[in-house]
Amino acid sequence: MAMYAKYRFICSARQVFDEMSDRKVPDWNSMISGYWKWGYQNEASCLFELMREKNVISWTAMVSGYCKSGDLENARRVFREMPEKSVVSWNAMLSGYVQNGFVEEGLNLFEEMMDVTDIKPDETTWVTIISSCAAKGDPELAKSLVSLIHSRKTSFNCFIKTALIDMYAKCGSLETARRIFDDMGSQRNLVSWNAMISAYTKNADLASAREVFNKMPEKNVVSWNSLISGYAQNGPSSMAIELFKEMLKTSKLKPDEVTMVSVISACGHLGALELGKRVISFCREHQIRLSISGYNSVISMYSRCGSIEDAKKTFQEMPKRDVVSYNSLIAGFACHGNGIKAFELILKMKEEGIEPDGITFMAVLTACSHAGLSKEGRELFQSIRNPAVDHYACMVDLLGRIGELDEAKKLVDEMPMKPPAGVYGALLNACRLHKRVEIGELAAYELFELEPENSGNNVLLSNIYASMGRWEDVEKIRELMKKKGVTKTTGWSWVEYEGNVHRFIAGDRGHKYSEEIYKLLKELGKRMRDMGYVADKSCVLRDVEEKEEMVGTHSEKLAIGFALVVSGDNTDGVIRVVKNLRVCGDCHRYIKILSKLVEREIVVRECHLIKRESKSQGYVPTYLSS
């Protein structure tokens, strides 16, 4: 019976159980555990009700089973009905609360447990409750828990220390986490090493994470995944891909879905579509099955790389979809300026019985903003019961884009919560677009208080002044930045070629193809001027003579020039460029005319938007958040 249950032949196990002439309590428990193991909740419950004699193991199996299936109401009911409880029973209920995200309830239950005189917490109890404190991220709670452990004279074994590393890391105390890790010495196991790597990556300290990773005596898939996901989420994303390649070369371990999702995400950040497609092919070749979350990452990657058709195809091929699947594609349509498609999807998800969440509404509002659907956006915003700050930011952006800056300012003033930086940032950008100095100054100075280290706010205000020829005010902003020690973020543009990412900065002459790039851009510039192109010198934030030369060597132009040089006579491929900052107005217009001239489709992704220039369609605005 136990053998059948272990290998999922649950019907055969039940047949043997029914044929047994003399069934003891352990036999019943074994059958109940088999049912729970393979997800047969109703059968386990019915069999439990049929039991005449039950022991503490029987009751605990039911508590544990209900918790693992997420049915905490029944788990709690069975736990309360237990005639006697062991420490394992308490641990089962505690773990159920923590694993299902009910941290407060878990902590309250732990306090109850402390009042039971004949129950002494064991190693599992402490690890579980430490995990609860880690989830809370409360340093004071963590401190009181450690004091309690000390007062109980509990020995700090490997498992407890590993849980403490995670707790301190989530409470922002990396130094304490590292001290515990170092003190463990020979006690350290693979889980301890992985916990320390995870601690560093979650706090974006990738250099320290790499240092620990390199010192590991042995690594498993979790070790590689922790570091790869750290690079994918915190950058540089290219390092996630390089580490993945290193894993394939130096390790005999097989990547799993977690690995692939991180690498796919990194490809999305870089806009490396061809590399992303290769990664997806790798999954197929090595039979790495993607779950719903994996498919969602693929949809997001395609959208970020400017290939919305591939994103839509992936969505349609999914055997099952959740709210994140819909949100990913809606965000893709929003980013590409297709508000109608975004609206169609929100109706479709409701038909499938999937309720939109706050992210859904934010994505559709973004779609309305980018597509100029002001009426639809207003109606949608009014339908949201309790708009969050992100919804207000989207609405301010929508109103700002259509030039309704006074209404946008009024909305900000009437917000029921204190407006965060994102709201003022949307307002400031709208002022840049429509050259509204007075509101722009108000938004900028709010941002200077909220984000004193963010140079982008200073640059946006400088842009407004420069577009109106107010060079003295531009200089004041420059002096203010210098006084506060704020430096302008360097603008980078990059383009993928043969699996490698090539990066450029404005005026860059360090690339091995620089001579050919500048020569080609000079030739194209002459032909573009014949087509009516005149450089927009207002994009230069300095009152200098060499304005045309400065805008002519912006990083995105160099990246496109490189793509044209290396592709030679091949005019079929799409040129995809990513920039870490906003693309200036001159470059938008330049790319539009260049696309027609060279008869190539060019996709440029910036920090907030994608602009697509198509040889067949001319200028079609589409958008993508980076």
Side-chain angles (χ1 to χ4, degrees), residues 146-158:
V146 173
S147 298
L148 180 61
I149 297 173
H150 280 298
S151 69
R152 291 267 173 164
K153 297 181 180 178
T154 305
S155 60
F156 282 51
N157 63 18
C158 173

Side-chain angles (χ1 to χ4, degrees), residues 335-561:
C335 295
H336 288 77
N338 199 328
I340 303 301
K341 289 286 186 184
F343 263 104
E344 287 175 359
L345 269 181
I346 198 172
L347 294 175
K348 182 178 171 66
M349 71 186 292
K350 287 179 179 178
E351 286 173 8
E352 291 192 9
I354 300 173
E355 279 299 310
D357 60 11
I359 295 172
T360 315
F361 291 122
M362 188 173 71
V364 179
L365 282 171
T366 303
C368 293
S369 177
H370 292 166
L373 303 175
S374 59
K375 179 187 174 185
E376 292 84 352
R378 283 184 170 99
E379 289 176 356
L380 182 66
F381 182 76
Q382 292 297 327
S383 73
I384 304 173
R385 288 182 182 177
N386 296 301
V389 288
D390 288 331
H391 301 133
Y392 279 97
C394 289
M395 199 60 205
V396 169
D397 184 60
L398 187 153
L399 294 169
R401 283 177 187 275
I402 61 175
E404 299 287 349
L405 283 162
D406 291 317
E407 187 179 345
K409 171 70 167 52
K410 184 182 176 186
L411 182 65
V412 174
D413 292 340
E414 292 176 352
M415 283 178 65
M417 70 284 286
K418 183 175 172 60
V423 172
Y424 283 116
L427 187 61
L428 178 58
N429 186 50
C431 294
R432 177 187 67 88
L433 292 171
H434 298 284
K435 299 180 182 179
R436 287 289 298 271
V437 180
E438 69 286 356
I439 297 178
E441 287 176 331
L442 288 171
Y445 283 98
E446 288 286 350
L447 286 165
F448 293 164
E449 291 293 322
L450 292 167
E451 299 179 325
E453 303 300 319
N454 187 344
S455 64
N457 302 319
N458 296 270
V459 173
L460 279 175
L461 185 57
S462 290
N463 273 327
I464 298 173
Y465 288 144
S467 66
M468 302 184 74
R470 292 173 53 171
W471 299 111
E472 287 184 10
D473 289 317
V474 171
E475 194 58 37
K476 285 179 184 176
I477 294 294
R478 292 171 63 83
E479 288 299 320
L480 182 65
M481 289 175 68
K482 197 180 294 183
K483 185 178 178 181
K484 294 192 296 185
V486 178
T487 55
K488 184 178 181 294
T489 304
T490 302
W492 288 92
S493 292
W494 57 90
V495 61
E496 180 190 15
Y497 176 62
E498 293 186 342
N500 294 311
V501 175
H502 295 257
R503 301 207 308 170
F504 298 87
I505 60 172
D508 199 337
R509 291 186 179 271
H511 197 278
K512 67 176 182 178
Y513 283 99
S514 285
E515 189 176 334
E516 291 93 328
I517 292 169
Y518 278 89
K519 183 179 177 182
L520 177 62
L521 291 180
K522 187 175 181 181
E523 292 171 2
L524 292 172
K526 289 178 183 177
R527 293 167 62 189
M528 287 174 66
R529 281 190 288 275
D530 292 338
M531 294 174 68
Y533 166 71
V534 179
D536 181 1
K537 301 171 190 175
S538 68
C539 299
V540 179
L541 299 184
R542 292 184 187 177
D543 188 19
V544 292
E545 297 278 338
E546 305 83 5
K547 287 186 180 182
E548 187 166 348
E549 183 181 342
M550 290 177 74
V551 296
T553 59
H554 280 184
S555 61
E556 52 269 57
K557 292 173 182 170
L558 297 178
I560 293 169

Side-chain angles (χ1 to χ4, degrees), residues 1-10 12-14 16 30-31 34 37-38:
M1 182 184 65
M3 180 197 70
Y4 279 136
K6 181 179 180 181
Y7 293 103
R8 206 169 190 169
F9 292 94
I10 202 71
S12 298
R14 181 58 188 262
V16 173
S30 181
M31 194 65 230
K37 181 178 180 180
W38 301 109

Side-chain angles (χ1 to χ4, degrees), residues 36-50:
W36 278 119
K37 181 178 180 180
W38 301 109
Y40 294 94
Q41 177 173 329
N42 290 336
E43 288 79 357
S45 301
C46 290
L47 199 61
F48 179 75
E49 293 301 323
L50 289 172

Side-chain angles (χ1 to χ4, degrees), residues 26 53 79 90 105 191 197 227 254 358 395 558 564 591:
E53 294 180 39
F79 181 76
W90 285 91
E105 288 83 348
V191 180
I197 293 172
L227 196 57
K254 181 183 176 182
M395 199 60 205
L558 297 178
L564 291 170
I591 296 163

